[in-house]
Every structure is written in structure tokens, then in C-alpha cells.
Amino acid sequence: MNNLPQKNMLSPSKINWFTFFKLPASWWSGVRLKKINEEACETSVKFKWINQNPFKSMYFAVQMMAAELSTGALVMTSIRNQKQPVSMLVARNKAEFTKKATGRITFTCLDGIKIKQAIEKAIETKEPQTCWMQTKGLNEKGELVSTMDFEWTIKAKS
């Protein structure tokens, strides 16, 4: 995934500062945005003392924060490129955990175009839209640790 700057593209450093001020639990747990472009977003989090569970692996909620950020940053970027204000909110989520999360876990969402189209449709039709976005968490060996799906609701503001 390239990380070339695009029109109104939020950078990893801007989003990481955002998490420091607006999502401090995510920041202190070690969640960081690594790469973003119009089509894809990558976040990562490393297993450490502050984000552990009693089973010597990463607490599921920390994985959820990193996973949600990989989808939410794409939503924020697509909204930022619109001329009309748009609200966003997670309505539902699904998660599947397939392996113990230790080491660095990297979440990648490839649904940037999909959410962009949903936002454009919400603006065009003036009707709220929903969009399921998927992100996959891989460990350092490239093994699938978890798969998360988030249903984003999008509504053009009047």
C-alpha cells in the first residue's frame, strides 16, 4: 500500500495526534495508524503489559480499537473530501478471533472505495446509508489473528 499524499488526505501523524486527544485509551494502549490512502488503511498495536489480558495475550478490546481505527480513518478521510458535512457512527460490529494475539498485530482495511461510494450516495439521495467494512489482523508471521467487521452509518447533514 503506498502512502502518497492525496487531496485532503489525513496523514498518519494527524490521526495519531487525534487519538491522543480524542481517544486516549486507544493511544495509551499503543494503537497507531501506520499507512492510509484513499483505498486502504493500516493500523498496528503491539502486545505489552498495559494491553494484556489474564491469558498472556492482547485484550480483545485493544484489538477492536485498532481494527475500528483502520476502518474509521477511511470514513473520516472520505468525509473530509466532500463539500457537505456528513455524520458517521458505528451501528454494529462482528468479530472473530482465530489465534492468540501476541507480538505486533497489524490491521488492514481495503474498503476505502466502498465507503466513499456510500458517502456519495448519502449526499446524493439525502438518505442515510450503511456500509459494512472489514479489517483483518495479522501477527508478525503473517498469520490471521482476528477478523473484524464494522457497520458504519453515514448521514449527510443539512
Side-chain angles (χ1 to χ4, degrees):
M1 169 187 355
N2 70 26
N3 205 23
L4 299 173
Q6 297 173 0
K7 178 184 157 201
N8 285 324
M9 183 60 57
L10 292 170
S11 69
S13 63
K14 284 181 185 177
I15 293 176
N16 289 330
W17 273 107
F18 172 82
T19 63
F20 179 77
F21 289 107
K22 300 293 183 183
L23 303 167
S26 177
W27 172 267
W28 291 111
S29 295
V31 173
R32 299 294 184 272
L33 191 137
K34 296 296 184 183
K35 299 177 184 175
I36 188 167
N37 63 38
E38 188 177 60
E39 298 172 4
C41 184
E42 182 179 291
T43 60
S44 77
V45 60
K46 187 173 183 178
F47 171 66
K48 52 188 174 178
W49 175 83
I50 198 164
N51 62 27
Q52 69 179 326
N53 64 29
F55 311 107
K56 299 181 182 163
S57 63
M58 191 179 300
Y59 185 52
F60 84 95
V62 174
Q63 291 184 66
M64 292 293 283
M65 287 188 289
E68 183 187 6
L69 182 60
S70 73
T71 64
L74 288 170
V75 179
M76 291 188 312
T77 296
S78 288
I79 288 172
R80 190 177 166 119
N81 286 325
Q82 302 301 319
K83 292 183 168 116
Q84 183 174 353
V86 175
S87 65
M88 59 187 271
L89 183 67
V90 172
R92 291 185 284 181
N93 66 301
K94 297 183 280 186
E96 183 178 347
F97 301 92
T98 52
K99 189 165 183 67
K100 207 170 184 178
T102 58
R104 181 168 300 281
I105 309 301
T106 301
F107 289 90
T108 305
C109 178
L110 304 173
D111 291 335
I113 300 303
K114 187 176 173 181
I115 192 64
K116 179 182 176 196
Q117 291 169 344
I119 291 168
E120 289 170 351
K121 186 173 181 181
I123 291 170
E124 178 187 317
T125 64
K126 301 189 182 355
E127 294 291 326
Q129 301 295 313
T130 62
C131 181
W132 279 97
M133 299 175 74
Q134 185 174 84
T135 185
K136 293 183 181 270
L138 304 178
N139 64 17
E140 295 158 306
K141 295 177 184 175
E143 300 166 319
L144 183 66
V145 172
S146 55
T147 303
M148 316 272 184
D149 295 278
F150 295 90
E151 182 185 33
W152 285 95
T153 59
I154 308 301
K155 184 178 178 185
K157 297 178 183 177
S158 45

